Amino acid sequence: MPPSSNESDRPQDVVARGYDAGADAFEAWQKQIAGSTRLERLEELLARLSEHPDVLELGSGAGIDSTQVLAGRSNLTGVDISAEQVRRARERVPGATFVHADFTQIELPPESFDAVVAFYVFNHVPREELGPLLERIAVWLRPGGWFLGTFGASDLPGWYGEWLDGVETYFSGYEPEITLGLVHDAGLELVRHDLETMEEPEGPATFLWVLAARRQVTSSPRRTLSQ
Ligand SMILES: C[S@@+](CC[C@H](N)C(=O)[O-])C[C@H]1O[C@@H](n2cnc3c(N)ncnc32)[C@H](O)[C@@H]1O
């Protein structure tokens, strides 16, 4: 646990404070990243959806280009744990709804979204919570609905430390095989997954991309009296 934290802090509290205090530093840092295919993948996802779908973006950040694309082509709800990120997103993307909340805790109605997306977010979630989170995502999706997101790609039980401009943050994650198993076990059918390495200012960073669809509910064959 980082020195300035309280005993009762969850990793999510540390992450929220980091994105509040380091919002400018994060924005400047993010602009220097090269090699992400996020927008292409988003286009592929949108091509699979009906017109004006209901989309949930987890860890929606400050409302950058991908969120703007989504807001223009869907009924978009964004959720972010950082009040400052939510403030910036509301200012930049007035056509969407942004909720200030922890997506590992938030209650949302079942089967209310055609797609759930999360870009460069789940590496801030304690890895033991990824399975339950993916199960919640499967519940929020309509049958046949889509999930597109990135995960950390290395075996990291949980790391607290200083990040951009010295703000404290938290990272965690599993190796890809374990994450893919969790996606499958949550009731999401893997459609595509691959590792992508992009260039961050400090050097290469690899993420696991996952595209998956919520399994259709299969009703058990009806018994008849003659059976
Ligand atoms: C690396 S930023 C990415 C932001 C945005 N997706 C983008 O690509 O620009 C991670 C974001 O996830 C948010 N976040 C991390 N953990 C969260 C949680 N448990 N609930 C809601 N938001 C969370 C952070 O506040 C931050 O805005």
Side-chain angles (χ1 to χ4, degrees), residues 129-148:
E129 296 186 37
L130 282 177
L133 173 61
L134 286 160
E135 284 167 15
R136 283 152 59 76
I137 290 172
V139 169
W140 296 333
L141 282 171
R142 298 188 173 118
W146 292 88
F147 166 74
L148 174 66

Side-chain angles (χ1 to χ4, degrees), residues 103-140:
F103 55 62
T104 63
Q105 308 262 297
I106 195 172
E107 296 295 331
L108 293 167
E111 302 195 356
S112 50
F113 295 99
D114 300 301
V116 176
V117 304
F119 303 130
Y120 309 109
V121 173
F122 289 164
N123 49 327
H124 284 303
V125 174
R127 64 185 191 176
E128 315 71 46
E129 296 186 37
L130 282 177
L133 173 61
L134 286 160
E135 284 167 15
R136 283 152 59 76
I137 290 172
V139 169
W140 296 333

Side-chain angles (χ1 to χ4, degrees), residues 16 21 26 45 57 71 97 103 120-121 133 155 159 167 172 175 198:
F26 174 67
L45 172 72
E57 180 171 12
T97 302
F103 55 62
Y120 309 109
V121 173
L133 173 61
D155 176 23
W159 178 92
V167 299
S172 180
E175 286 158 346
M198 48 186 208

Side-chain angles (χ1 to χ4, degrees), residues 12 15-16 19 26 29-30 38 57-64 66-67 79-82 85 101-104 118-121 123-125 163:
Q12 285 89 334
V15 169
Y19 280 98
F26 174 67
W29 176 85
Q30 193 178 41
R38 161 207 317 240
E57 180 171 12
L58 301 177
S60 38
I64 66 163
S66 43
T67 302
V79 178
D80 203 287
I81 201 168
S82 155
Q85 297 297 319
D102 177 352
F103 55 62
T104 63
F119 303 130
Y120 309 109
V121 173
N123 49 327
H124 284 303
V125 174
W163 196 35

